Amino acid sequence: MQVEFSEIARQTLLENIEFLNKVWTRREITVFLNDVKKITDDLENGKYLQFENSSCKTKSVLIGKKHVRMFFRKENEDLI
């Protein structure tokens, strides 16, 4: 399955990283980015159903010390 970040998702991720640079340590930011990578990998490997429903079409997961919520939705059988 292919995972694509929307333009707003990319921008929000960059804004989150800028903010976290001000209040978190480098190690905590690394954990956050590793969480993003792990979730993306899980989604690419077909583990979409393991995540909790946020709404009828959207799922989400807490990442980065459980301080940031990552949202995603399945567009079709090949794209998240």
Side-chain angles (χ1 to χ4, degrees):
M1 191 160 309
Q2 181 178 346
V3 176
E4 288 185 13
F5 285 81
S6 67
E7 187 57 40
I8 195 164
R10 281 188 214 104
Q11 183 61 36
T12 302
L13 180 61
L14 291 174
E15 289 170 3
N16 279 328
I17 292 168
E18 285 179 26
F19 172 76
L20 297 176
N21 269 321
K22 296 175 185 173
V23 295
W24 282 6
T25 65
R26 181 163 300 294
R27 182 180 175 280
E28 291 169 321
I29 294 169
T30 300
V31 168
F32 170 77
L33 294 174
N34 287 340
D35 285 354
V36 171
K37 175 70 171 135
K38 181 187 180 312
I39 299 304
T40 303
D41 289 346
D42 284 350
L43 292 170
E44 287 175 345
N45 291 321
K47 296 181 180 176
Y48 180 78
L49 295 176
Q50 79 180 17
F51 298 102
E52 70 179 65
N53 289 334
S54 185
S55 71
C56 62
K57 294 183 180 180
T58 306
K59 292 190 175 269
S60 67
V61 63
L62 286 170
I63 60 174
K65 296 177 18 179
K66 311 289 188 228
H67 290 274
V68 178
R69 185 165 292 276
M70 183 174 175
F71 293 90
F72 41 91
R73 72 172 174 256
K74 197 172 193 177
E75 295 293 323
N76 58 50
E77 291 304 312
D78 299 321
L79 179 65
I80 295 179

